[in-house]
């Protein structure tokens, strides 16, 4: 009964194969002539550049905190954090 294989009647599963027939579409793969061309760039301008500038000339590098420094900072915050007082009475 798993995976949607439930029987349609109460007697159990049927061993009869189920044959599926799909409809055919006659004009689905017929060849046709090409349509009219359309210029999609009719209101744009042409921009050209010569040469390549390195990235270090254009932007400044972002400073990334090293993982060791951030781990040391977290450890320092953890040691200086206020501790909870727990009293266990068993």
């Amino acid at each position: 009964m798993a995976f949607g294989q439930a029987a349609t009647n109460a007697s159990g599963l049927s061993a009869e194969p189920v044959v599926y027939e799909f409809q055919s579409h006659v004009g689905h793969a017929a060849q046709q002539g090409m349509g009219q061309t359309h210029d999609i760039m009719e209101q744009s301008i042409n921009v050209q550049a010569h040469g390549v500038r390195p990235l270090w000339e254009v932007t400044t590098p972002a400073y990334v905190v090293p993982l060791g420094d951030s781990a040391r900072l977290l450890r320092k915050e953890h040691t200086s954090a206020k501790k909870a007082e727990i009293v266990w009475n068993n």
Side-chain angles (χ1 to χ4, degrees):
M1 296 294 182
F3 303 111
Q5 298 174 354
T8 57
N9 55 10
S11 64
L13 296 176
S14 173
E16 291 294 320
V18 178
V19 179
Y20 294 103
E21 292 185 22
F22 298 99
Q23 296 293 327
S24 176
H25 298 285
V26 180
H28 183 69
Q31 289 186 344
Q32 297 177 357
M34 298 285 286
Q36 294 291 329
T37 60
H38 297 285
D39 188 13
I40 61 172
M41 304 288 282
E42 58 188 43
Q43 293 183 359
S44 64
I45 58 173
N46 187 9
V47 177
Q48 293 181 356
H50 299 284
V52 177
R53 291 182 67 187
L55 186 60
W56 59 267
E57 287 183 0
V58 179
T59 184
T60 58
Y63 178 72
V64 178
V65 178
L67 186 60
D69 292 347
S70 60
R72 281 184 214 93
L73 180 65
L74 285 173
R75 187 180 304 136
K76 183 188 247 185
E77 289 177 0
H78 180 71
T79 56
S80 65
K82 185 177 177 182
K83 304 293 188 260
E85 295 181 18
I86 300 175
V87 178
W88 295 95
N89 294 326
N90 288 335

